[in-house]
Amino acid sequence: MLRGDVLTTATADPTTTTVARDFTDFRTVVSHSFVPLHVTSEHRDQFRGRIRSCGADDVQLTEVTASAHKVERTPELIARADRHYYKLSLILSGTGLLVQDNREAMLRPGDVALYDTHRPYSLVFEEDFRTLVVMFPQRLIDLPRDLVGQLTAVPMSGKRGMGNVVVPFLAQLGSNLDQLGGPAGVRLAHTAVDLLATLFASELDLARATAGPHHELMRRVLAYIDANLSSTDLGPAQIAAEHYISTRHLHGLFHEQGTTVSGWIRTRRLEHCRRELLDPVHASRPVAAIAAKWGFVDAPHFSRVFKTEFGRSPSELRRGLTVSERLLPPSA
């Protein structure tokens, strides 16, 4: 299918491929594929670009191959958005310079870096390049935003430590994007995000000496919460007692991260429920059973808070997920 100077392929393959032969159209496609961006290039006349994308649930993987250009996420563009996403770029060839939060990351093949779409950033590619971009809602990461915010525009190598495990997985998934549109797509997408959360936690642990006195305690508290989400007794008193601190101290830890103990527990429980409702493996399991597994013993209450969080009731979410819906780009 040809639209102007943009060639888009739409076949039985669940991926969408767009070949831009014109800079203006590439600029439009980039904003449509990700979030609204300001794109400029000093090589407009000879510009070439190709974008290949596929997604499952709200997780989108996109391979971009293009000529030199610069993208900027400006405060004006951010003001139009009401959804918060993280993006992670894996450089496959060429180089890229990411700038956010007064930090700069020069990325080379095999490097990854995180950035937050709800804060200004810029990416500069001074030569032809190829990159894999993973974009996902911030709620999918089981780490407080303030902690994750310490990692924006921080280069992470795919050749050592946890990066040597996570980056090859992402690269292989990028080479097999069509798998995201298959029966295992939701699981693959969530596995990718979980691996990224593990990578981020590992990087934060390496930097714990400068991360503040509460970092290690907060890490243990979060791990305890995730391990005990199914317990109906889980709450501030139990968590504080388990870690030999006062409930006031516990509430203070979460206040520093811009959230609350009960809010964090509820969010984590809801996300686990959402994942299982979308997973074909649990298609025959009653909604109430999934809710109870994750600590929601009152089915009507669960339905109300779930709809408030995600905009659809649990049953509507389960019925409404289609392949075409998975592939719609986020409108942030």
Side-chain angles (χ1 to χ4, degrees), residues 205 208 211-221:
D205 284 343
R208 63 183 178 272
H214 300 313
H215 175 81
E216 176 61 19
L217 175 59
M218 190 64 175
R219 185 194 65 79
R220 290 190 285 109
V221 166

Side-chain angles (χ1 to χ4, degrees), residues 2 40 63 91 116 136 202 217 318 331:
L2 186 64
T40 56
E63 183 187 74
I91 299 295
D116 184 338
F136 53 93
S202 175
L217 175 59
R318 176 174 268 178
S331 55

Side-chain angles (χ1 to χ4, degrees), residues 69-318:
H69 68 273
K70 178 180 181 179
V71 298
E72 296 174 279
R73 181 78 166 146
T74 65
E76 293 76 18
L77 293 173
I78 292 169
R80 304 176 192 173
D82 60 358
R83 302 176 73 184
H84 295 215
Y85 284 84
Y86 289 127
K87 292 170 71 177
L88 179 127
S89 284
L90 163 59
I91 299 295
L92 300 171
S93 65
T95 61
L97 175 66
L98 169 64
V99 180
Q100 187 171 58
D101 297 331
N102 297 315
R103 291 189 288 266
E104 295 185 359
M106 175 56 74
L107 305 177
R108 296 174 174 83
D111 291 341
V112 296
L114 177 74
Y115 40 117
D116 184 338
T117 67
H118 216 66
R119 297 203 298 277
Y121 67 81
S122 65
L123 268 165
V124 181
F125 303 99
E126 295 186 340
E127 58 186 351
D128 292 355
F129 72 96
R130 185 165 65 95
T131 186
L132 180 69
V133 180
V134 187
M135 186 165 76
F136 53 93
Q138 293 182 3
R139 59 174 170 75
L140 295 186
I141 290 289
D142 59 350
L143 294 167
R145 290 179 185 174
D146 281 3
L147 285 180
V148 179
Q150 297 176 22
L151 296 177
T152 54
V154 173
M156 293 172 271
S157 173
K159 299 177 182 178
R160 63 176 181 269
M162 189 57 63
N164 199 30
V165 176
V166 177
V167 170
F169 174 85
L170 292 178
Q172 283 295 317
L173 190 55
S175 298
N176 297 273
L177 284 180
D178 58 300
Q179 295 299 313
L180 284 173
V186 171
R187 278 180 172 259
L188 279 172
H190 290 159
T191 296
V193 173
D194 288 344
L195 283 173
L196 289 177
T198 302
L199 173 62
F200 301 157
S202 175
E203 292 291 323
L204 288 168
D205 284 343
L206 291 174
R208 63 183 178 272
T210 58
H214 300 313
H215 175 81
E216 176 61 19
L217 175 59
M218 190 64 175
R219 185 194 65 79
R220 290 190 285 109
V221 166
L222 295 177
Y224 179 82
I225 290 174
D226 254 24
N228 292 275
L229 284 174
S230 60
S231 171
T232 56
D233 295 327
L234 184 65
Q238 177 184 336
I239 297 168
E242 183 68 24
H243 293 85
Y244 305 101
I245 60 176
S246 67
T247 55
R248 181 178 180 179
H249 188 185
L250 179 69
H251 288 304
L253 290 174
F254 279 81
H255 179 73
E256 289 177 3
Q257 303 301 328
T259 185
T260 65
V261 181
S262 59
W264 182 262
I265 293 172
R266 182 176 61 252
T267 298
R268 297 301 302 144
R269 284 173 167 167
L270 287 171
E271 187 53 44
H272 278 285
C273 291
R274 173 186 163 86
R275 290 191 179 198
E276 293 200 3
L277 288 167
L278 293 175
D279 193 335
V281 171
H282 300 289
S284 61
R285 192 171 190 182
V287 170
I290 291 175
K293 174 184 175 181
W294 295 106
F296 291 104
V297 294
D298 184 333
H301 170 72
F302 167 67
S303 184
R304 287 194 298 272
V305 296
F306 190 95
K307 188 166 186 176
T308 298
E309 181 74 12
F310 300 117
R312 286 186 288 182
S313 69
S315 57
E316 288 171 340
L317 179 75
R318 176 174 268 178

